């Protein structure tokens, strides 16, 4: 429990670094989707580097714990190394000075604060995406709760003795609440999204998906409490059956949402050569998608091992839960690729504002035509002026047309020049010439 919490966190951070690198090379605009500063954001390699450095501290602590056990160093003192790892991670995250990727750390802390206060803040894509990552780290939440409890109450006891300990029990009610926190964050976000949009579909339906986790936690906790009362004797009472039934419903619900909603697959518009996928794809090979669907289904069902071989004592429950925790991190790592791809292509969450300005075709005359360049541009200006007035954006007319005149007179008019001029005019800036735009891009 004490070493597993930082391990799961570091694996998740490293996986997100791999995701970031994959989005960048595949052309998925994660910078726009997450609304981070394009001039100051961590690359995938920087994220992996940070997690690797903290991972070295974790690995050395585990080695010291194991090695000092061979020289009869007390277990109580050796467990202090896990405490050092936890404190090191907390210090790095909360380090108050402008170093150690401070902009990214502050961004993360702000997002975590918004997640914790989900009903009171408007939900943005980064908020719900980060909350989804926390849902895949429920084991780490429980381990962190155990660590706080252990170092507060049980550290001074003989950890090898069979005396009853305070921590790790569900009877005092805190662990079920901690286990439900990640799902509550997303549940509250869905309710806030419904409040802001008044769209029951998909937000209330999505909230229903996360509410199934509450029933899973409730019935699993009651089944565990019943087992504790019987001093560990195997009991398959009514709460155990309700636990399994609620977990099956939750699995079917979440898997369907992953494929149909989060990834946008199984589309009716998919061409015959992309059956069960969607019309547009970013990643080059179709088998990526089919493999992801099969993998997600398999990993969603891994909990069945905990209620079969785990409950029967065939496999040590702590080791089994550690394996399942790592598997869930990998599942989320794959999920991230296709969730960002779907958002990139379809803006399915409607987190990005889109404003289309229809502009009639501009008839730019070639150099050898009968009309002069000035006459062509003046005619096009009239067409564009009428269209802009119909769209209600006449405040940008003069600045846009200034760029159009310069580009058309040089014979280098392109659609990209119009888009660049529109974007700069909306920010109150003077558009550059086409050549200067090219210099800026370089």
């Amino acid at each position: 429990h004490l070493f597993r919490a930082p391990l799961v966190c570091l694996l998740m951070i490293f996986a997100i670094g791999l995701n970031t690198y994959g989005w960048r090379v595949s052309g998925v605009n994660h910078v726009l989707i997450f609304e981070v500063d394009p001039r100051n954001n961590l690359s995938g390699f920087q994220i992996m580097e940070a997690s690797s450095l903290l991972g070295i501290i974790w690995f050395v602590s585990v080695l010291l714990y194991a090695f000092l056990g061979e020289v009869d160093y007390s277990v109580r003192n050796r467990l202090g190394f896990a405490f050092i790892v936890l404190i090191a991670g907390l210090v790095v995250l909360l380090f108050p000075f402008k170093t150690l990727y401070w902009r990214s750390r502050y961004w993360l802390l702000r997002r975590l604060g918004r997640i914790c206060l989900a009903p009171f803040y408007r939900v943005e894509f980064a908020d719900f995406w980060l909350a989804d990552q926390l849902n895949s780290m429920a084991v780490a939440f429980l381990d962190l709760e155990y660590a706080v409890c252990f170092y507060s109450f049980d550290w001074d006891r003989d950890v090898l003795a069979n005396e009853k300990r305070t921590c790790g029990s569900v009877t005092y009610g805190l662990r079920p609440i901690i286990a439900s926190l990640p799902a509550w964050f997303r549940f509250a976000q869905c309710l806030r999204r419904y409040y802001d949009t008044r769209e029951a579909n998909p937000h209330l339906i999505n909230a229903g998906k996360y509410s199934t986790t509450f029933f899973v936690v409730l019935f699993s906790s009651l089944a565990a409490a019943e087992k504790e009362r019987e001093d560990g004797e195997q009991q398959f009472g009514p709460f155990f059956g309700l636990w399994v039934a609620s977990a099956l419903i939750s699995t079917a619900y979440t898997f369907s949402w992953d494929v149909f909603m989060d990834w946008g697959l199984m589309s009716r518009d998919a061409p015959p050569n992309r059956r069960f996928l969607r019309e547009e794809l970013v990643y080059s090979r179709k088998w990526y998608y089919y493999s992801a669907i099969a993998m997600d289904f398999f990993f969603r069902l891994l909990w069945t091992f905990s209620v079969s071989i785990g409950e029967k004592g065939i496999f040590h429950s702590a080791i089994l839960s550690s394996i399942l925790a790592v598997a869930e991190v990998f599942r989320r790592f794959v999920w991230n690729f296709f969730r960002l791809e779907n958002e990139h292509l379809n803006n399915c969450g409607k987190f990005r504002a889109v404003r289309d300005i229809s502009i009639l075709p501009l008839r730019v005359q070639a150099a050898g035509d009968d009309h002069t360049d000035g006459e062509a541009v003046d005619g096009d200006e009239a067409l564009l002026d009428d269209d802009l007035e119909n769209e209600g954006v006449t405040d940008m007319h003069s600045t846009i047309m200034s760029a159009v005149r310069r580009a058309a007179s040089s014979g280098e008019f392109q659609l990209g020049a119009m888009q660049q001029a529109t974007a700069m005019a909306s920010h109150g800036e003077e558009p550059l010439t086409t050549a200067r735009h090219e210099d800026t891009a370089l």
Side-chain angles (χ1 to χ4, degrees), residues 38-57:
R39 297 166 298 180
N40 294 293
N41 63 89
L42 295 183
S43 67
F45 288 110
Q46 289 174 314
I47 297 173
M48 288 185 282
E49 178 187 43
S51 64
S52 298
L53 292 176
L54 291 173
I56 292 174
I57 299 176

Side-chain angles (χ1 to χ4, degrees), residues 1 309-310 313-323:
H1 294 288
I309 61 176
I314 300 175
F315 203 78
H316 194 286
S317 59
I319 298 176
L320 178 61
S321 59
S322 300
I323 295 174

Side-chain angles (χ1 to χ4, degrees), residues 132-402:
D132 274 330
Q133 312 307 302
L134 298 182
N135 272 268
S136 292
M137 300 169 63
V139 171
F141 274 71
L142 291 172
D143 287 343
L144 289 173
E145 179 273 336
Y146 180 86
V148 173
C149 179
F150 177 82
Y151 289 115
S152 300
F153 302 105
D154 287 348
W155 196 9
D156 58 344
R157 299 181 182 180
D158 186 356
V159 296
L160 298 180
N162 292 325
E163 59 179 309
K164 189 173 182 179
R165 305 189 190 99
T166 304
C167 305
S169 174
V170 298
T171 55
Y172 64 95
L174 183 58
R175 287 181 68 81
I177 295 175
I178 297 297
S180 301
L181 275 181
W184 161 254
F185 294 147
R186 287 293 290 120
F187 180 80
Q189 287 178 338
C190 293
L191 294 183
R192 176 61 194 231
R193 288 279 285 163
Y194 170 71
Y195 175 81
D196 291 335
T197 65
R198 298 300 176 184
E199 296 178 357
N201 182 15
H203 303 306
L204 291 185
I205 301 176
N206 200 15
K209 180 189 73 172
Y210 289 101
S211 69
T212 61
T213 302
F214 303 149
F215 294 100
V216 174
V217 172
L218 173 63
F219 294 131
S220 64
S221 300
L222 291 174
E226 186 178 33
K227 185 177 179 180
E228 285 183 9
R229 286 195 300 268
E230 299 296 331
D231 295 327
E233 293 293 330
Q234 191 66 41
Q235 294 290 330
F236 296 105
F239 293 125
F240 181 84
L242 291 171
W243 172 24
V244 174
S246 59
L248 286 173
I249 295 172
S250 179
T251 298
Y253 207 152
T254 53
F255 170 73
S256 300
W257 197 272
D258 285 344
V259 175
F260 287 93
M261 301 299 293
D262 288 338
W263 295 352
L265 303 180
M266 303 291 179
S267 173
R268 297 178 180 178
D269 299 328
N273 63 334
R274 295 175 182 173
R275 190 178 299 275
F276 306 125
L277 302 182
R278 72 171 95 86
E279 186 176 4
E280 293 181 276
L281 303 176
V282 167
Y283 307 117
S284 58
R285 302 185 184 277
K286 292 182 290 185
W287 67 265
Y288 293 164
Y289 299 85
Y290 297 121
S291 300
I293 294 172
M295 180 278 305
D296 192 75
F297 179 74
F298 175 74
F299 278 61
R300 284 289 189 186
L301 287 172
L302 286 181
W303 61 267
T304 57
F305 288 102
S306 63
V307 299
S308 55
I309 61 176
E311 286 293 315
K312 291 184 177 180
I314 300 175
F315 203 78
H316 194 286
S317 59
I319 298 176
L320 178 61
S321 59
S322 300
I323 295 174
L324 297 183
V326 174
E328 174 59 20
V329 170
F330 180 76
R331 189 198 67 81
R332 183 62 64 179
F333 160 72
V334 176
W335 180 92
N336 285 337
F337 280 116
F338 300 99
R339 180 62 185 90
L340 264 290
E341 179 210 25
N342 192 27
E343 187 68 21
H344 173 82
L345 292 175
N346 302 312
N347 189 23
C348 57
K350 299 181 181 179
F351 287 97
R352 286 172 284 142
V354 177
R355 177 70 168 95
D356 292 327
I357 302 176
S358 58
I359 298 179
L360 296 179
L362 299 177
R363 300 186 301 274
V364 180
Q365 301 295 329
D369 288 350
D370 297 334
H371 301 288
T372 64
D373 291 341
E375 292 172 345
V377 172
D378 290 340
D380 295 329
E381 180 179 350
L383 291 174
L384 182 59
D385 184 39
D386 293 338
D387 194 53
L388 287 173
E389 288 180 355
N390 292 334
E391 294 291 342
V393 289
T394 54
D395 56 323
M396 294 190 296
H397 175 230
S398 60
T399 36
I400 294 175
M401 288 312 305
S402 175

